[in-house]
């Protein structure tokens, strides 16, 4: 059960299966966004610590090292063992997640359950990664091998700390890679507990390394390091560009990016109104709006527009905002002061540009980074809140007339991460799903993400796909082998 005052056991860096202080001795505080007060100070890594971590990961990837000598099925058993330990510690992990991130305790438990499922899914893949034989002309035998990339650097965001860690660790480990992870500086605590569990599960020395710190130091060092062969990043488009640029000037390492979104959710006149309002509400307000694939442009057909707006505003007003550990709370604080002020700035810009405020619109309470669930109607495509990723609890409701019109408007964005459509007409649904430029499209539901299906975006929403077998492919090299056979007798 929830215990917001639990002892924080792990605050150092995790390198070569040991918790160690940063080389510099520096620390930084991680804050509770509900109180704006420090939770604990953690070790602050920098380039020197990344160097040590990479050396450990490189040694663990050596041909003679235990990790490389382990059977593929053995990797699967370790992943399952880690999932078992997560299940044992689910309340501890959820407490850390809610303290550090601000999301409700129930949401944290749900995220960890999804993370456990992801580890189990990839545990099953560990001994099923295989190549193929290829018929070649001439007296030769040709076959294809799939081999792990090697040492990988992984940089994760603060909105789903454990879940994003899992999306990175599980496929990389199933493939046989070793890794250096930088958790978000806002939310390092659950990653450090996961590091402790990885040691308890039995992962060999150096396979998993966690270096706390900041983007310009730890993140930049990971991207620039010549012994890191791949970087996997989830975060903003701006940071994604920096990572691509850095990777191109270091060793041309492989890069996969899961970036932002401005995802359309399109609701047609024939939709069940109450169901559509609930789908749209959850699409934008889940996780306090801090979701890369949030349905942040709600397009509603003109025949039900006014009724939809009225119901959406009322549902937002009924949403309970408060401390993550309070019963009945549906929305906690935004993760930090920067995000809090950014969201309030978007709300101000919407009002200045003529959007009509229907609910919320200001800070909730006087302490903590709480923002009222906010609904705007009469939003037009050119408004800032309709073009830019807010990453907060702000619903923008736009009116449309026809299917062709809304397809064009839905695609009129630099992003392409996700989309949704609510309709009873299968022809409308299929026409929209075929035409919309998005990596995930949901019909009569939203944000239904499971380990078996690839996840990623079109356009500036990223490159590569996580989850499914596609997630493992990000961590594999393909080798073609051709062997000359004896001449025919």
């Amino acid at each position: 059960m929830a215990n917001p005052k639990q002892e924080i056991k792990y605050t150092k860096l995790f390198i070569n299966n040991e918790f160690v202080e940063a080389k510099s001795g520096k620390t930084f505080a991680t804050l509770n966004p509900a109180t704006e007060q420090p939770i604990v100070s953690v070790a602050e890594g920098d380039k020197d610590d990344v160097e040590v971590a990479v050396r450990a990961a490189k040694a663990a990837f050596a041909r003679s090292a235990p990790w490389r000598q382990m059977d593929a099925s053995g990797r699967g058993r370790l992943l399952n063992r880690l999932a078992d330990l997560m299940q044992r510690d689910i309340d501890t992990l959820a407490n850390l997640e809610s303290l550090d991130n601000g999301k409700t305790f129930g949401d944290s438990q749900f995220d960890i359950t999804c993370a456990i499922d992801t580890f189990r899914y990839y545990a099953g893949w560990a001994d099923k990664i295989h190549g193929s034989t290829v018929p070649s002309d001439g007296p030769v035998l040709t076959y294809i091998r799939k081999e792990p990339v090697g040492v990988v650097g992984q940089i994760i965001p603060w909105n789903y700390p454990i879940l994003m860690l899992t999306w990175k660790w599980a496929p990389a480990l199933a493939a046989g890679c070793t890794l250096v992870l930088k958790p978000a500086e806002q939310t390092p605590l659950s990653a450090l507990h996961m590091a402790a569990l990885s040691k308890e599960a039995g992962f060999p020395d150096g396979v998993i390394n966690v270096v706390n710190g900041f983007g310009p130091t730890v993140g930049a060092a990971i991207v620039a390091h010549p012994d890191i062969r791949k970087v996997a990043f989830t975060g903003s488009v701006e940071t994604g560009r920096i990572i691509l640029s850095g990777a191109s000037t270091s060793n041309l390492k492989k890069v996969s990016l899961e970036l932002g979104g401005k995802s359309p959710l399109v609701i047609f006149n024939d939709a069940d109104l109450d169901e559509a309002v609930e789908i749209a509400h959850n699409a934008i307000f889940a996780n306090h709006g801090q979701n890369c694939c949030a349905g942040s442009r709600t397009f509603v057909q003109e025949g039900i527009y006014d009724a939809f707006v009225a119901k959406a505003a009322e549902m937002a007003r009924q949403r309970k905002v408060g401390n993550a550990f309070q019963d009945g709370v549906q929305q906690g604080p935004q993760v930090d002061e920067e995000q809090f002020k950014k969201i309030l700035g978007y709300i101000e810009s919407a009002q200045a540009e003529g959007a009509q405020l229907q609910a919320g619109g200001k800070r909730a309470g006087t302490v903590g980074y709480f923002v009222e669930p906010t609904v705007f109607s009469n939003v037009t495509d050119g408004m800032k809140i309709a073009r830019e990723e807010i990453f907060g609890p702000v619903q923008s409701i736009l009116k449309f007339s026809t299917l062709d019109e809304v397809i064009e408007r839905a695609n009129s964005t630099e992003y392409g991460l996700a989309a949704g459509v609510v309709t009873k007409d299968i022809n409308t649904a299929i026409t929209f799903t075929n035409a919309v430029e998005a990596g995930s499209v949901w019909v009569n539901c939203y944000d239904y993400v499971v380990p078996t299906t690839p996840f990623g975006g079109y356009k500036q929403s990223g490159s590569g796909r996580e989850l499914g077998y596609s997630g493992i492919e990000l961590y594999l090299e393909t080798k073609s082998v051709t062997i000359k056979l004896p001449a025919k007798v």
Side-chain angles (χ1 to χ4, degrees):
M1 62 187 298
N3 176 20
K5 296 183 179 180
Q6 74 176 48
E7 178 187 359
I8 309 298
K9 293 182 179 179
Y10 307 110
T11 61
K12 299 179 182 180
L13 312 181
F14 185 78
I15 299 176
N16 208 28
N17 255 358
E18 298 294 338
F19 283 100
V20 297
E21 300 286 359
K23 290 287 187 182
S24 67
K26 291 182 180 179
T27 63
F28 66 94
T30 181
L31 302 181
N32 182 340
T35 64
E36 305 177 45
Q37 298 301 308
I39 303 169
V40 70
S41 290
V42 299
E44 179 183 337
D46 59 23
K47 182 178 180 180
D48 291 340
D49 301 291
V50 171
E51 178 63 37
V52 177
V54 173
R55 284 205 303 265
K58 186 177 180 181
F61 193 72
R63 288 171 53 202
S64 59
W67 180 244
R68 294 297 299 281
Q69 294 297 310
M70 185 181 295
D71 291 338
S73 58
R75 296 199 301 270
R77 285 191 290 273
L78 286 180
L79 287 167
N80 268 320
R81 175 61 177 152
L82 182 54
D84 291 341
L85 295 173
M86 290 177 71
Q87 188 65 58
R88 182 198 69 188
D89 285 6
I90 188 169
D91 287 347
T92 298
L93 288 166
N95 276 316
L96 292 172
E97 201 85 328
S98 293
L99 277 173
D100 220 10
N101 170 277
K103 67 177 67 191
T104 67
F105 183 73
D107 283 352
S108 292
Q109 287 182 311
F110 176 78
D111 287 358
I112 296 162
T113 298
C114 293
I116 291 168
D117 290 344
T118 302
F119 272 118
R120 296 207 188 283
Y121 172 77
Y122 282 108
W125 266 116
D127 60 358
K128 300 170 187 67
I129 302 167
H130 54 78
S132 58
T133 57
V134 179
S136 298
D137 291 347
V140 295
L141 168 66
T142 301
Y143 63 92
I144 311 300
R145 281 178 54 83
K146 295 291 186 178
E147 299 178 351
V149 167
V151 180
V152 299
Q154 302 179 322
I155 303 172
I156 60 173
W158 44 259
N159 57 333
Y160 292 96
I162 284 184
L163 201 53
M164 293 298 97
L165 174 150
T166 304
W167 284 23
K168 299 291 186 288
W169 281 16
L173 295 169
C177 295
T178 61
L179 62 91
V180 178
L181 175 87
K182 187 196 98 64
E185 57 267 27
Q186 297 91 337
T187 55
L189 297 181
S190 56
L192 294 175
H193 194 93
M194 287 294 296
L197 293 186
S198 74
K199 181 175 182 177
E200 185 179 352
F203 283 88
D205 294 353
V207 172
I208 294 172
N209 304 274
V210 178
V211 181
N212 318 314
F214 297 87
T217 49
V218 174
I222 286 173
V223 172
H225 202 290
D227 289 331
I228 289 180
R229 296 183 178 176
K230 175 198 164 47
V231 170
F233 169 74
T234 297
S236 70
V237 172
E238 293 75 18
T239 304
R241 290 194 183 102
I242 293 170
I243 288 172
L244 272 179
S245 176
S248 68
T249 56
S250 59
N251 61 345
L252 283 176
K253 55 175 58 68
K254 299 175 185 297
V255 177
S256 57
L257 304 170
E258 197 270 278
L259 306 177
K262 195 66 183 174
S263 301
L265 173 58
V266 179
I267 298 167
F268 285 87
N269 287 334
D270 65 348
D272 180 285
L273 185 59
D274 289 334
E275 180 184 30
V277 168
E278 184 175 1
I279 290 171
H281 179 90
N282 292 329
I284 184 60
F285 293 117
N287 204 46
H288 322 166
Q290 298 172 153
N291 183 2
C292 55
C293 58
S296 53
R297 289 183 295 153
T298 307
F299 288 95
V300 180
Q301 201 164 17
E302 57 192 2
I304 60 170
Y305 186 85
D306 291 340
F308 182 96
V309 167
K311 285 180 175 288
E314 179 59 27
M315 182 168 280
R317 286 190 287 267
Q318 296 300 317
R319 189 172 182 84
K320 186 174 180 181
V321 179
N323 189 289
F325 297 98
Q326 293 176 349
D327 291 339
V329 165
Q330 297 167 284
Q331 180 179 309
Q334 310 311 127
V335 74
D336 61 14
E337 184 179 19
E338 179 182 357
Q339 190 66 18
F340 170 75
K341 289 182 176 179
K342 175 186 173 185
I343 294 164
L344 292 179
Y346 276 111
I347 291 172
E348 291 176 5
S349 77
Q351 293 174 296
E353 291 182 326
Q356 186 171 346
L357 181 66
Q358 297 286 346
K362 60 183 185 298
R363 179 178 193 165
T366 58
V367 177
Y369 306 124
F370 297 93
V371 176
E372 291 180 340
T374 299
V375 176
F376 282 105
S377 64
N378 296 340
V379 178
T380 57
D381 295 336
M383 291 179 179
K384 191 175 181 180
I385 61 168
R387 292 183 290 106
E388 299 182 12
E389 186 175 34
I390 301 171
F391 228 61
V394 180
Q395 185 175 34
S396 303
I397 308 178
L398 304 90
K399 184 185 294 185
F400 76 94
S401 298
T402 68
L403 172 60
D404 287 342
E405 169 208 336
V406 80
I407 288 172
E408 182 176 348
R409 292 170 65 189
N411 287 337
S412 182
T413 174
E414 63 185 15
Y415 297 109
L417 189 58
V421 57
V422 183
T423 178
K424 294 177 181 175
D425 188 328
I426 189 64
N427 294 317
T428 297
I430 292 176
T431 300
F432 179 82
T433 58
N434 287 351
V436 71
E437 297 170 343
S440 296
V441 187
W442 296 291
V443 179
N444 294 330
C445 60
Y446 199 86
D447 206 13
Y448 197 88
V449 179
V450 291
T452 53
T453 55
F455 183 89
Y458 284 35
K459 298 183 280 189
Q460 292 192 48
S461 285
S463 59
R465 293 293 185 269
E466 296 186 300
L467 301 182
Y469 186 70
S470 299
I472 292 181
E473 290 180 317
L474 294 177
Y475 296 96
L476 295 173
E477 294 281 14
T478 300
K479 177 183 288 182
S480 298
V481 180
T482 302
I483 303 172
K484 183 178 180 180
L485 301 175
K488 292 182 181 179
V489 178

